[in-house]
Amino acid sequence: MNNKFVILGVVLVAIICVVCVGVYTLTSPNGSPSRESPDFVIVIDATGAKVTVPYPVNSIVCLSSVETVYALDAGDKITAITGMLTTDIKEVLPPHILELPIVGDTDSAPNIEKIIELNPDLILASERLSDENRKIFENAGIAVIEDSSTGDRRNQYITNLGLILNAEQRADDILSYEAYYWNLVTERVANLPRNEEPLVYFEWYTEWFSTGPGGSYTKLIEVAGGINVGENATVTTPQLSAELIIEQNPDIAIRMLDYTSGETLDAFQKLHNQLMSRPGLNNLKAIKNNQVYVIKSTLLVDRDLVGLLYFAKWFHPDLFMDIDPEAVHAEMVEKYFGTTISGVYFYP
C-alpha cells in the first residue's frame, strides 16, 4: 500500500514537471522575469499585459526599438523595420539593417498583411499600436510587446529584452553604465536647497507646449537639480501661456528640436533666435542672461542620459565642471553601436 502511494507521488511530480517545462515565469514582486525553462519567457509590458514569448527568439519585427535591439547585439534577429527612422538612428545602424523590409511608416500604421506574411516570433511596438491591430497579430499567433526604452520604462524594458534575446550580460552592462551617471548627478544635487535650483521652462516642438507632473522631460529637469515651470500643471503635457512664463520668469529656457524641423546648425540657430526674440519675453532672466538652449530630441528620448548630463551642466556648471556630455555621448555610441557620432545635437 505504501509503495503504491510512493509510485503515485512520483507520477504526480513527473506530471507537474512536464506541465511546467517550457515557460519562464514572473516570480519576483516587481514583475522582473525569471528563468525556469528553455522554451518560453513571460514578461509584463508597459500596458500591463503578460506576454509569452518563444525562446529563443529568432525573428523580430521592430515597429519600434530597433536601436535598442541592435545595442543588445541582436541585430541578426531583426527581420523588418518601419520607414520613419530618424537620421540619428540610421547613422548608428549598419546598411543591412536599413535594407530590411519596411512594414509601415510607424507602429500606429503598420502593414498588417506584410507582417503576418513574415510570421515573426515577436513584434516590438510602442503604445501607439492600436488595441485592434495588436489583437490581429496575437490572433495570428505572434507575440506582441508594447513598451518604451525611454523614461521610467527603460530599465525594465532593457532587462526584459536582455532575457528574451539571451543578452542578459549585455543588458546589465548597458544599465550599469547608465546608472553610474544617473547616480552621479543625483548625488551631486541631492543636498541643494530649493532656492539654489534654477526655474526651468521647457518647450516641446511648438510654442508654449511644455511638460508637467509625471512627464519624462520633467523627470530630467528635476533629477538634474532644476524646478519645472509646469510643475503644478494638471496634465503631463500642458499648454502654457506667455503670461504664465512672464509671471514665473524662469532662469533657464530649453527648446527641443525635433528632426522634422531640420537638423543643421541653421535649424538650431533658428529655433534659438525665435525663442530669444519672442514678443513679450525680452525681460525674462533666461533671455537677459543668455541661458536659452536648444537640444535635439534624440538626447531626450533613447539617449536621455546624455540629455540629463547637459541639463545638469547648464543648471549647475560649478558642480559638473568635470563632466563632458558630448564625450559621454560619443562613448555611448561607440559602446552600444561600434560607431561614432556626427551632426549637431545642441546649441549654443
Side-chain angles (χ1 to χ4, degrees):
M1 189 72 170
N2 290 337
N3 288 339
K4 289 182 179 180
F5 281 120
V6 170
I7 293 170
L8 179 60
V10 171
V11 171
L12 287 173
V13 170
I15 291 172
I16 291 170
C17 290
V18 169
V19 170
C20 291
V21 165
V23 183
Y24 298 149
T25 59
L26 295 165
T27 58
S28 64
N30 64 3
S32 297
S34 64
R35 180 167 293 174
E36 292 187 2
S37 159
D39 298 327
F40 296 93
V41 60
I42 299 175
V43 300
I44 295 176
D45 72 7
T47 71
K50 186 181 288 188
V51 185
T52 301
V53 183
Y55 184 87
V57 166
N58 294 312
S59 57
I60 305 172
V61 166
C62 284
L63 298 179
S64 69
S65 307
V66 60
E67 180 175 328
T68 306
V69 173
Y70 189 82
L72 288 167
D73 282 339
D76 60 321
K77 300 180 185 296
I78 303 171
T79 56
I81 59 176
T82 56
M84 292 289 286
L85 297 181
T86 67
T87 302
D88 297 327
I89 293 177
K90 290 178 180 178
E91 284 184 349
V92 299
L93 296 175
H96 74 271
I97 298 291
L98 302 178
E99 293 167 1
L100 289 170
I102 303 296
V103 287
D105 286 337
T106 66
D107 48 10
S108 60
N111 186 325
I112 296 171
E113 293 78 11
K114 194 167 185 178
I115 293 171
I116 291 177
E117 182 182 329
L118 289 170
N119 192 31
D121 295 325
L122 175 64
I123 296 171
L124 297 178
S126 75
E127 291 183 79
R128 291 189 300 256
L129 183 69
S130 70
D131 293 342
E132 180 184 0
N133 286 341
R134 177 171 187 158
K135 195 66 176 175
I136 291 172
F137 293 135
E138 290 175 335
N139 287 341
I142 305 171
V144 179
I145 292 177
E146 293 179 64
D147 223 317
S148 172
S149 56
T150 66
D152 291 336
R153 286 296 305 178
R154 179 172 177 83
N155 287 8
Q156 186 62 63
Y157 187 36
I158 289 179
T159 298
N160 290 347
L161 288 178
L163 183 60
I164 290 168
L165 301 172
N166 193 26
E168 291 164 277
Q169 185 58 57
R170 179 69 169 179
D172 287 344
D173 289 346
I174 290 173
L175 295 178
S176 296
Y177 176 86
E178 295 179 1
Y180 170 81
Y181 286 104
W182 279 90
N183 293 337
L184 180 150
V185 172
T186 301
E187 290 167 5
R188 290 190 185 184
V189 303
N191 297 318
L192 289 174
R194 186 175 171 92
N195 63 6
E196 290 185 17
E197 295 180 331
L199 185 61
V200 181
Y201 169 54
F202 178 87
E203 189 171 271
W204 280 40
Y205 52 85
T206 189
E207 290 185 6
W208 315 122
F209 191 50
S210 191
T211 182
S216 59
Y217 306 134
T218 299
K219 178 183 177 181
L220 292 177
I221 292 170
E222 294 175 346
V223 173
I227 301 168
N228 175 30
V229 164
E231 66 176 348
N232 295 318
T234 57
V235 294
T236 57
T237 55
Q239 189 82 21
L240 304 182
S241 65
E243 292 75 20
L244 175 67
I245 302 306
I246 292 170
E247 178 188 341
Q248 293 290 312
N249 195 16
D251 302 290
I252 294 174
I254 300 173
R255 176 63 151 87
M256 184 186 82
L257 177 139
D258 185 84
Y259 73 99
T260 58
S261 300
E263 300 176 277
T264 64
L265 179 59
D266 287 344
F268 281 82
Q269 291 174 328
K270 181 179 179 180
L271 279 181
H272 184 267
N273 293 339
Q274 285 175 351
L275 187 52
M276 291 284 287
S277 60
R278 195 173 297 174
L281 302 187
N282 55 300
N283 287 321
L284 291 186
K285 291 178 187 176
I287 291 176
K288 291 172 69 174
N289 297 329
N290 201 29
Q291 295 288 295
V292 176
Y293 303 95
V294 180
I295 186 167
K296 200 171 190 181
S297 58
T298 301
L299 303 189
L300 303 174
V301 188
D302 289 278
R303 305 178 201 172
D304 62 357
L305 166 64
V306 183
L308 173 70
L309 295 179
Y310 276 114
F311 281 19
K313 189 101 173 178
W314 294 337
F315 299 175
H316 303 287
D318 292 342
L319 292 179
F320 295 96
M321 291 180 63
D322 60 323
I323 300 299
D324 182 350
E326 189 170 14
V328 174
H329 187 196
E331 185 177 61
M332 280 180 61
V333 169
E334 170 61 32
K335 177 182 179 66
Y336 298 173
F337 307 103
T339 186
T340 57
I341 59 172
S342 61
V344 183
Y345 288 90
F346 66 96
Y347 180 85

